[in-house]
Amino acid sequence: MTTRKNVLILGYSYAIQFIDVCNQYVKLFDQNHYKVTVAYLSGKPDENARSKTLAEEVIFLDFAKKDLRGIKISAIKKLLTLCQQEKFSMVICHRYKPIYIMLWVAQFCSIPALFFVMHAMKTFHHVSRKLLIALLARKNMYFVGVSNATRDDMRRDLWCISAERVITLYNCIDMELTESALLSREEARHTLGLPKDAFVFGTVGRLVPDKDQKTLIHAFAKIKSHCPKATLIIMGNGALEHDLKNLTHQLKLTHDVIFTGFVPEASCYFKAFDVFILPSIEEAFGRVLLEAMTAKIPVVGTRIDGIPEVIQDAGIIVEPQNPEALASVMMQMTHKSSLELTQWGEQIYEHVKKHFSLPTFNNIFWNIPINAL
């Protein structure tokens, strides 16, 4: 019987978006040949998170915030012990703090292959981070961006790291799993309290400056008088919720813009939308676009960072922070027939299947020259 190799996937927390990303990587490995462990740096043991994480073993390291600040000695020691015990053939880290910790662990423990996956822009802009990577990086380490925009951002910032070790691995989506969870258009609208005959623009994301829901609200205000049945639904919570609600009040849109707050498994409701809009001014990838496209919903996104790479020619791209341009596109959408929107949705679905499905991701990953495996 062949001895299985051990693989560790290290994430910061088990927020649902991080579980999804970890599962994307778990599915790369055949259980007959690999034992995959997922470890979360923060968060107490949680049975729901454990059940949603597809790895054979799930570890909740439960570090307090103070333990993950500064040089993180206690976290480094604990991960070093784990790596020495399990003798991992590969470690995949998501986001900066797990990467920082594993960079130090790798100085004292032999790990044949390491992948450091970045999900944000400008992570290595600070000189101290550039210097740390230059000092601790080894030839068995890949620095991964979730888009070419993220990759190129890292290539500009990282010192002493060859370009071939800074690569792109797009986020992907389990289309079958995502589709199986979708509510029908009627069920989704009923649950969200949306009129059956409304033309619904939807967006999902944290209510923070980077997501720029403010521009979307201003654009919606420009078309509302021409489209009486138009409704805008904003799913998510965050620091700007009060300000955004005040803006809708000032624009006399209180009854036309719906704020749902945080909605668990928000992608289940995407069929309630006629058009999905991502108005971000900073977005390394935009995984929510894949969820919308898997639901066969036409998408509009901004020409910023990784968004154009996701949408390509399957949707519409507008300039960021330009309510006039966005309003023009939104108006065009309301003039399309149900048949046109349905056909567009089918084309978008095929786009995701070709470029961002699990089989595509699997094929790309296993074509990386990984000596350890």
Side-chain angles (χ1 to χ4, degrees):
M1 182 177 177
T2 305
T3 302
R4 294 193 301 166
K5 294 182 177 181
N6 290 341
V7 175
L8 173 65
I9 299 173
L10 182 62
Y12 179 73
S13 75
Y14 50 77
I16 186 62
Q17 65 268 31
F18 298 142
I19 292 178
D20 288 344
V21 168
C22 286
N23 285 342
Q24 169 182 333
Y25 281 80
V26 170
K27 291 172 184 176
L28 287 168
F29 300 97
D30 184 339
Q31 290 186 354
N32 293 318
H33 302 290
Y34 302 97
K35 177 194 173 184
V36 181
T37 299
V38 167
Y40 297 113
L41 285 179
S42 64
K44 295 187 178 299
D46 183 278
E47 287 308 311
N48 185 51
R50 189 188 304 276
S51 66
K52 289 182 180 295
T53 304
L54 302 180
E56 189 169 329
E57 183 177 8
V58 182
I59 300 173
F60 299 94
L61 296 167
D62 191 21
F63 287 112
K65 287 185 178 180
K66 64 181 178 62
D67 296 321
L68 297 175
R69 297 192 187 106
I71 57 176
K72 310 169 184 63
I73 290 293
S74 60
I76 292 169
K77 285 182 176 179
K78 195 163 186 176
L79 264 298
L80 176 59
T81 300
L82 177 65
C83 290
Q84 289 172 334
Q85 290 173 345
E86 298 297 328
K87 296 180 172 57
F88 294 111
S89 295
M90 177 185 290
V91 175
I92 301 169
C93 299
H94 292 281
R95 306 184 78 88
Y96 181 71
K97 287 184 179 179
I99 291 170
Y100 172 93
I101 292 167
M102 199 52 60
L103 276 166
W104 282 108
V105 169
Q107 308 307 305
F108 306 101
C109 179
S110 176
I111 302 170
L114 297 101
F115 284 79
F116 298 145
V117 187
M118 288 312 310
H119 298 261
M121 306 294 292
K122 304 176 184 176
T123 302
F124 298 114
H125 276 19
H126 199 282
V127 172
S128 63
R129 293 187 176 184
K130 297 174 192 277
L131 184 59
L132 180 79
I133 300 296
L135 291 173
L136 300 185
R138 300 291 182 264
K139 290 183 178 179
N140 62 336
M141 298 175 180
Y142 281 97
F143 293 83
V144 180
V146 295
S147 62
N148 290 337
T150 318
R151 177 203 64 193
D152 294 344
D153 183 61
M154 288 194 291
R155 284 180 176 175
R156 286 189 293 268
D157 284 344
L158 292 175
W159 297 339
C160 308
I161 307 295
S162 60
E164 61 266 22
R165 288 198 290 128
V166 185
I167 64 175
T168 300
L169 282 175
Y170 286 124
N171 285 332
C172 73
I173 188 166
D174 186 329
M175 298 181 73
E176 184 177 343
L177 182 64
T178 302
E179 283 185 277
S180 68
L182 286 169
L183 297 178
S184 69
R185 178 183 174 91
E186 293 73 22
E187 290 173 314
R189 289 202 169 192
H190 175 74
T191 304
L192 295 173
L194 294 169
K196 291 181 180 180
D197 62 344
F199 191 97
V200 179
F201 296 99
T203 191
V204 177
R206 293 172 296 119
L207 307 186
V208 295
D210 287 352
K211 301 302 181 182
D212 196 24
Q213 291 93 353
K214 179 180 177 181
T215 291
L216 176 56
I217 292 170
H218 277 293
F220 181 73
K222 292 179 180 297
I223 71 162
K224 178 58 186 175
S225 62
H226 304 286
C227 310
K229 291 186 177 181
T231 297
L232 172 61
I233 183 166
I234 299 174
M235 302 177 75
N237 59 6
L240 294 183
E241 183 170 353
H242 180 72
D243 291 344
L244 293 172
K245 286 182 176 179
N246 278 345
L247 176 61
T248 61
H249 179 72
Q250 293 166 14
L251 295 173
K252 297 180 172 54
L253 296 172
T254 304
H255 301 296
D256 303 301
V257 179
I258 298 171
F259 291 88
T260 67
F262 173 74
V263 178
E265 312 290 349
S267 62
C268 297
Y269 303 96
F270 278 19
K271 282 190 175 293
F273 308 154
D274 290 289
V275 176
F276 181 87
I277 300 175
L278 188 62
S280 303
I281 57 173
E282 184 174 306
E283 195 76 57
F285 183 80
R287 192 177 185 278
V288 68
L289 289 167
L290 301 186
E291 295 172 335
M293 290 191 280
T294 300
K296 302 181 180 179
I297 304 302
V299 296
V300 178
T302 43
R303 194 182 307 280
I304 199 76
D305 302 331
I307 291 177
E309 297 175 50
V310 179
I311 294 178
Q312 298 178 29
D313 58 357
I316 295 180
I317 299 170
V318 298
E319 296 304 318
Q321 295 183 298
N322 189 330
E324 290 77 15
L326 182 54
S328 176
V329 168
M330 293 169 74
M331 183 67 75
Q332 292 173 34
M333 297 298 99
T334 64
H335 291 156
K336 291 188 178 294
S337 68
S338 296
L339 178 59
E340 287 176 309
L341 291 173
T342 298
Q343 290 174 337
W344 190 358
E346 293 291 343
Q347 293 168 2
I348 279 177
Y349 179 87
E350 292 302 318
H351 168 75
V352 176
K353 187 175 181 179
K354 179 179 179 180
H355 296 286
F356 301 106
S357 63
L358 282 171
T360 300
F361 177 69
N362 192 304
N363 182 57
I364 293 170
F365 182 86
W366 289 112
N367 275 291
I368 299 170
I370 310 169
N371 295 330
L373 300 180

